[in-house]
Amino acid sequence: MMTNLVHFSGGRSGPWRIVDMAAVRGEGLARAERLAVSATADGPGCWTLRGVVGHARYATRRELDGLAARQAPLGRGEAVCAALIPIRKSQAWWDLAQDERRAIFEETSHHTAIGAAYLPAVARRLHHGRDLGEPFDFLTWFEFAPDDATAFDALVAALRATPEWDYVEREVDIRLVWE
Ligand code: HEM
């Protein structure tokens, strides 16, 4: 059994209430009321997206240490807001070599540098779905307090304006509250 496999199931059950769903780029997802996040598929939902929490591909030792020193864990009591942003990148992205992707990701787009400014307010976890044959390459998950929701919107807007996002061909933005 794959222990680091995570299922995000949209439907009528689950502790997270979906407050907004937007198709940012490409095809959206069927509207659902609630979301369950679990190690096993959560029964018949509208849709289930799967991803594996894996090792970092691009971050350097220095970047990883910098993030580790600042980042907060998931599941904080005050972080009752969340975002699930599934993303698929284009074939042109996957045709690049590792060093070319890293250069676009950080040296050109400053993804980690931009994101680091929002720690520890925003807690995050990245899941990979591409090698599972999933419709999204990445399931990005974030948790934050209501007071930090505006800052989170600014973060997302800043990242979407970077050259890295030229390679995003499908993106859905799902916002949730724990209630
Ligand atoms: C990957 C940091 C916010 C989307 C990464 C990686 C880091 C990172 C270090 C690379 C992991 C690796 O080495 O493989 C951060 C920080 C954030 C943040 C500190 C602040 C909260 C976001 C947001 C989004 C996002 C808001 C979506 C709107 C992604 C995606 C990847 C990624 C799609 C995978 C990129 C790829 O492998 O091609 N992030 N990020 N991140 N992040 Fe973020």
Side-chain angles (χ1 to χ4, degrees):
M1 189 179 120
M2 207 186 275
T3 53
N4 51 359
L5 180 63
V6 182
H7 298 73
F8 294 87
S9 296
R12 293 186 144 189
S13 60
W16 294 96
R17 185 169 69 83
I18 297 177
V19 292
D20 197 24
M21 285 183 73
V24 179
R25 203 169 288 186
E27 195 189 336
L29 284 167
R31 178 81 215 181
E33 288 162 34
R34 304 196 70 88
L35 183 89
V37 184
S38 69
T40 52
D42 204 53
C46 290
W47 40 260
T48 296
L49 304 174
R50 301 181 309 146
V52 172
V53 183
H55 63 279
R57 269 73 165 167
Y58 303 115
T60 62
R61 168 51 51 202
R62 195 184 158 86
E63 287 162 354
L64 290 176
D65 289 347
L67 293 172
R70 299 194 55 174
Q71 70 200 10
L74 297 180
R76 292 168 296 170
E78 70 275 19
V80 296
C81 296
L84 170 64
I85 307 183
I87 287 176
R88 186 174 73 221
K89 286 184 171 173
S90 64
Q91 192 57 46
W93 173 263
W94 295 106
D95 285 343
L96 296 171
Q98 172 81 8
D99 58 335
E100 294 171 311
R101 292 197 298 262
R102 154 73 199 185
I104 294 165
F105 177 83
E106 196 60 35
E107 279 70 25
T108 311
S109 299
H110 311 292
H111 184 125
T112 309
I114 291 170
Y118 294 84
L119 306 185
V122 179
R124 51 181 274 276
R125 194 167 67 195
L126 176 64
H127 313 78
H128 288 89
R130 184 174 178 83
D131 292 340
L132 301 174
E134 284 286 304
F136 294 96
D137 298 335
F138 311 101
L139 304 175
T140 67
W141 175 258
F142 308 93
E143 295 177 3
F144 44 90
D147 282 353
D148 294 311
T150 307
F152 183 75
D153 285 339
L155 164 62
V156 170
L159 288 175
R160 285 186 185 139
T162 63
E164 183 193 352
W165 251 253
D166 292 347
Y167 295 90
V168 172
E169 64 176 24
R170 188 175 179 197
E171 178 176 6
V172 184
D173 192 328
I174 304 168
R175 301 300 176 96
L176 314 104
V177 288
W178 180 271
E179 63 179 27

